[in-house]
Amino acid sequence: MQPQFDDSFRPAPSCPPPADGAGGGAGRAAFWSVVVPCLLAFALLAAHAVRSGDWGTAAGWGVLAGLACTRLAWARLVVCAALFAGGLFWVSVGVDLVRFRMAFGMDWVRLAAIMATVTGLTMAAWWRLTGQAGERRHHLGADAAWPRAMAFLLAAGLLWLARWRASGIVLLLSDRFLPGSGPLQIALAGVYAAWVAGLLLDPARARKARPRLWGLFSAVFFGQLALGLLGAHRLLMTGALHLPVPALILAGPLYRGEGVFMLVLFGVSVLLLGPAWCSHLCYIGAWDDACSRLRGAGAKAQGKGRRGKGPAPLPRWAVVLRWCLAAGVFAAAFLMGRAGVPVGVAATAAGLFGLAGVAVMAGLSTRRGMMVHCTAFCPMGAVGNLLGRIAPWRLRVGPGCTRCGACLAVCRYNALDARRLEAGRPALSCTLCRDCIGVCRHGAMQLTLPGLSPARAWRVFAVLAAVLHAVFLNVARM
């Protein structure tokens, strides 16, 4: 049986634009008729922002102008959305200015004509870009254009909303170091989200890209923490130190009765991606992943096969230990808070628990090739797996499974074995890392979402994962 994924997961070939003219002459004509109007529209929007003293927004419009100059299909969709929003913005500004002049008995006809002209130029650029000429010019990666454009728009929209709604705290680092530069960071984060989505849309590329992107997020997270400890306090979320122990995402609020920012981020990610927080967004989980891969890398270096040794499954009692440990940790945090245990004592206990987790990674994950910390020690991993059942995402083993064992060799979450393959579903510890789908040559491993085909479900999941990765990369810090 052939894989259930079609060629839409593969990057679109870099085909030349249709030959509707004399080669380079047609390209130059498309530039002047499609790109230049966009640049003019963005220049007007940027000039208005500069006049208002909002240089960050002006820089954000500049990023969009740069996208208009590319030939990427997803960039065309993003620029179209931005131009349409720009046209609505000009209408709103024009109405307000005309009403102001009318209220004071001032001449408004000339102003109305100017604003109508500016609005018309912006919408004309939008109309030209949405037509066939714009489609011909921005032709690269057309098969993945909509998912990548949605990744840009969702990531930028969520960051804009978070920046706008944040009260009592400056959320974006750019605004902390260069006040007003937030819109520029948001635009660049959108571009990054679109790039990440392009990597995650292809199952084969996603299996290699996911741990690297995850490691990047962890490095940025702990890099900011380290610099904050060295004196750059603006790199900390509140300027105060918090221990980077995942269990404290829930145990901290249980102890203090407040401070739920990271808990909200965790909850949102679980609602959108189920238990995938553990395999895509946990800042400590990336360490466990890296440690678990050392076993296979060591065997491969010693010439013990192309794949090296696969992960060694955990005994069943490890599952019971995990839930008992999670219940004990959260109950202890709550009781310590109610009993008035000093913060220093509670912090010491949390720090020792975190160090024990690092020891589990170094001592057990590296030996077994299994992410022992995440699957048998971390309380938040247990919470993520449990609450992840609320989300509609499911991994299923189809009838085309030949029991070749390729999926067993890459599952590091103790979620797959012969019994689970026979049952057609992984264990509760599955985090939807989807590595098994990337290596299944028979299309038997499928990510499902009610109402969608496996291929469409993969696309939706990849977009959401890329968006949350980009958002977390920009706002998640201690």
Side-chain angles (χ1 to χ4, degrees):
M1 180 181 295
Q2 294 298 321
Q4 298 299 313
F5 298 104
D6 52 40
D7 290 338
S8 63
F9 289 106
R10 308 297 175 184
S14 299
C15 56
D20 59 344
R28 287 191 294 271
F31 178 83
W32 285 101
S33 64
V34 175
V35 178
V36 169
C38 295
L39 297 181
L40 177 60
F42 286 130
L44 292 172
L45 289 165
H48 178 80
V50 171
R51 185 178 181 183
S52 302
D54 190 356
W55 70 270
T57 299
W61 290 122
V63 172
L64 293 168
L67 291 178
C69 295
T70 71
R71 294 182 178 272
L72 299 172
W74 71 263
R76 167 178 167 266
L77 299 176
V78 169
V79 173
C80 283
L83 288 173
F84 190 81
L88 296 179
F89 171 76
W90 285 129
V91 170
S92 176
V93 171
V95 169
D96 290 341
L97 292 177
V98 168
R99 284 178 176 175
F100 176 81
R101 284 180 171 261
M102 292 178 67
F104 286 90
M106 303 170 63
D107 177 55
W108 57 269
V109 177
R110 180 171 174 269
L111 174 64
I114 293 174
M115 296 306 300
T117 301
V118 172
T119 304
L121 287 174
T122 303
M123 297 310 296
W126 168 82
W127 176 81
R128 184 62 175 166
L129 190 61
T130 57
Q132 292 185 355
E135 189 174 356
R136 284 196 299 268
R137 174 171 174 80
H138 299 81
H139 63 281
L140 298 179
D143 289 342
W146 276 104
R148 297 181 71 180
M150 289 304 300
F152 179 103
L153 296 174
L154 287 174
L158 287 174
L159 287 172
W160 192 280
L161 180 63
R163 179 177 184 257
W164 174 53
R165 296 294 296 177
S167 59
I169 186 173
V170 179
L171 196 59
L172 300 180
L173 286 181
S174 58
D175 281 326
R176 295 188 179 192
F177 288 94
L178 292 173
S181 62
L184 174 59
Q185 181 179 346
I186 291 173
L188 294 176
V191 175
Y192 176 74
W195 175 73
V196 170
L199 295 177
L200 298 183
L201 283 169
D202 181 354
R205 296 173 67 192
R207 189 171 74 88
K208 297 180 180 180
R210 180 189 62 83
R212 295 171 183 173
L213 294 169
W214 194 13
L216 171 64
F217 165 67
S218 180
V220 171
F221 183 92
F222 282 101
Q224 291 178 146
L225 176 61
L227 292 175
L229 294 176
L230 293 175
H233 300 300
R234 283 183 291 184
L235 292 174
L236 302 176
M237 178 59 73
T238 61
L241 177 62
H242 299 275
L243 293 175
V245 180
L248 292 182
I249 293 176
L250 178 56
L254 287 175
Y255 171 78
R256 297 188 302 267
E258 60 180 3
V260 296
F261 178 77
M262 290 298 293
L263 186 59
V264 169
L265 287 181
F266 173 82
V268 170
S269 67
V270 170
L271 288 176
L272 293 176
L273 288 181
W277 181 85
C278 295
S279 57
H280 292 72
L281 302 169
C282 176
Y283 41 87
I284 284 289
W287 293 19
D288 201 24
D289 179 76
C291 288
S292 69
R293 294 175 188 274
L294 293 177
R295 180 174 189 254
K300 186 175 180 180
Q302 296 173 17
K304 298 181 180 180
R306 184 173 180 270
R307 293 189 180 185
K309 293 184 178 181
L314 300 180
R316 292 191 178 184
W317 58 261
V319 177
V320 178
L321 175 63
R322 177 195 201 194
W323 291 103
C324 292
L325 188 61
V329 167
F330 295 134
F334 178 79
L335 293 175
M336 290 171 70
R338 304 294 79 76
V341 174
V343 174
V345 175
T348 300
L352 292 175
F353 183 81
L355 291 176
V358 174
V360 169
M361 298 181 209
L364 296 178
S365 296
T366 55
R367 293 175 58 188
R368 303 188 67 90
M370 184 71 68
M371 297 175 64
V372 180
H373 173 272
C374 294
T375 57
F377 184 83
C378 178
M380 288 309 296
V383 173
N385 288 145
L386 185 62
L387 295 183
R389 306 302 292 178
I390 299 174
W393 301 101
R394 296 293 183 270
L395 186 69
R396 293 290 181 255
V397 184
C401 179
T402 65
R403 309 299 189 269
C404 68
C407 56
L408 304 184
V410 298
C411 180
R412 303 178 186 278
Y413 286 93
N414 202 41
L416 291 174
D417 54 27
R419 183 171 60 90
R420 291 294 175 179
L421 292 180
E422 193 66 33
R425 59 177 61 88
L428 183 63
S429 58
C430 174
T431 65
L432 301 181
C433 72
R434 302 164 297 136
D435 285 357
C436 55
I437 299 177
V439 299
C440 183
R441 300 185 300 273
H442 310 285
M445 308 297 297
Q446 296 180 348
L447 181 68
T448 65
L449 184 67
L452 296 181
S453 66
R456 289 187 179 275
W458 178 281
R459 285 197 163 203
V460 174
F461 188 94
V463 169
L464 291 177
V467 169
L468 290 180
H469 168 77
V471 171
F472 275 48
L473 189 66
N474 281 271
V475 303
R477 69 184 71 93
M478 299 306 294

